[in-house]
Amino acid sequence: MKPTPLRFGFGTNGFAHHRLTDVLVILADLGYDGVALTLDHNHLDPYSDDLPRRVSTLARGLDRHGLDVTVETGAPYFLDPWVKHLPTLMSDGSALRVDLLERALRIAADLGSPTVHLCSGPAPVGLPERDAWKRLAAGVETVLQTAERYGVALAFEPEPYMFVDSVERCLRLAELVGGHELFGITLDIGHAHCVEESPLLDCVRLAAPLLRNVQIEDMRRGVHQHLEFGAGEIDFPPVLAALRDLGHRGLVSVEIQGGALDAPEVARRSIAFLRAAA
């Protein structure tokens, strides 16, 4: 049987200077299959007073343009304007992060997104690692109760220099939450190349049983900077072939935040590169 073709998306955090309605038009015109929607102050604020109206409008726009969606919660300064990614599920103020994730799950259900992306953030300074794991697992278990209500999976991303920074540590977290069926992995291809000890294709295979979501960009070893394709070190055709052969059905979404000032052309170049590489 011929493998299912990969479906490509683009992250809204790469279109920071565009209206969300315009982002949908551009991505659809370029031939993308979907959009990775980062909840933030700009495109869709989960705390806005008119959230139901905005979500309904977005759902109609996605349907009109034939775009799938996955919901992401990685906006770095969304909850704390001074420090990236705080509070986390390990922080003393973790209730705020739980609330954001639960709002994201409701939004995902309304938009038809199969997943909500999340990452660990940094562990609190001075907190023993054993206690950090306990706090993180407890927080994820709390959010999974809401995930069950809406039938939306959590897709946890290993992020460079965060507490959970590798696929192996993500798999450990999966064990700590009892192998819950709605706990999965977001694999960022650039991140894996940047920090993982194992070869990139081994990371893809290791994540495969829990793989829900894929982000993609070029990167250099040891340098956490999202680059356009061809500007880094990654050999993409084998990676895309591995994802295709594994039967990945979720979006493979371009994650290039630094190109927002030239977003339409970055998106154009990216989809051309991915089509050729695939």
Side-chain angles (χ1 to χ4, degrees):
M1 182 180 295
K2 187 176 181 180
T4 302
L6 296 175
R7 298 183 304 121
F8 297 116
F10 199 98
T12 58
N13 57 7
F15 276 85
H17 307 296
H18 283 71
R19 297 180 184 89
L20 186 54
T21 51
D22 293 334
V23 177
L24 300 187
V25 172
I26 291 170
L27 295 183
D29 286 351
L30 290 175
Y32 280 91
D33 301 292
V35 55
L37 172 67
T38 295
L39 302 181
D40 58 18
H41 304 95
N42 181 23
H43 289 131
L44 187 65
D45 186 340
Y47 295 95
S48 62
D49 294 336
D50 62 343
L51 182 63
R53 180 192 65 80
R54 295 181 66 185
V55 171
S56 295
T57 299
L58 176 55
R60 290 194 298 271
L62 291 166
D63 183 65
R64 181 166 61 252
H65 295 294
L67 293 169
D68 290 332
V69 63
T70 183
V71 171
E72 303 191 353
T73 62
Y77 291 104
F78 186 69
L79 295 179
D80 188 323
W82 291 95
V83 186
K84 291 180 180 180
H85 306 296
L86 292 185
T88 74
L89 293 176
M90 298 168 285
S91 303
D92 290 339
S94 62
L96 191 58
R97 178 65 58 178
V98 169
D99 181 64
L100 173 61
L101 293 169
E102 290 179 337
R103 288 170 182 262
L105 286 163
R106 291 193 291 271
I107 291 169
D110 289 340
L111 294 177
S113 168
T115 60
V116 164
H117 154 283
L118 70 161
C119 51
S120 69
V125 176
L127 184 69
E129 180 162 326
R130 179 184 67 255
D131 294 334
W133 280 115
K134 288 180 179 178
R135 289 190 184 187
L136 182 58
V140 170
E141 287 176 335
T142 296
V143 179
L144 281 169
Q145 295 175 22
T146 302
E148 291 172 357
R149 189 181 317 142
Y150 292 108
V152 175
L154 297 180
F156 205 100
E157 179 190 357
E159 177 92 17
Y161 316 120
M162 290 188 179
F163 182 70
V164 176
D165 59 357
S166 68
V167 174
E168 286 190 352
R169 287 174 75 84
C170 202
L171 292 174
R172 178 177 176 182
L173 181 57
E175 292 179 358
L176 290 174
V177 299
H180 196 289
E181 63 181 358
L182 291 179
F183 182 91
I185 291 176
T186 291
L187 181 65
D188 187 300
I189 299 302
H191 291 173
H193 175 76
C194 178
V195 299
E196 292 274 9
E197 294 182 1
S198 300
L200 182 51
L201 292 180
D202 288 350
C203 294
V204 173
R205 297 185 187 100
L206 187 62
L210 296 182
L211 190 62
R212 297 276 189 163
N213 193 29
V214 174
Q215 297 173 344
I216 194 165
E217 68 284 315
D218 214 340
M219 205 167 285
R220 298 187 183 97
R221 181 74 178 169
V223 182
H224 186 197
Q225 182 181 7
H226 293 234
L227 303 172
E228 284 196 57
F229 300 109
E233 303 168 338
I234 299 175
D235 183 14
F236 284 97
V239 174
L240 296 173
L243 291 171
R244 186 179 63 245
D245 292 345
L246 289 168
H248 176 64
R249 297 183 178 275
L251 291 175
V252 178
S253 298
V254 179
E255 184 86 356
I256 305 177
Q257 307 96 320
L261 290 175
D262 193 26
E265 291 308 311
V266 172
R268 186 191 307 276
R269 291 192 292 266
S270 296
I271 191 67
F273 180 96
L274 289 170
R275 286 170 174 158

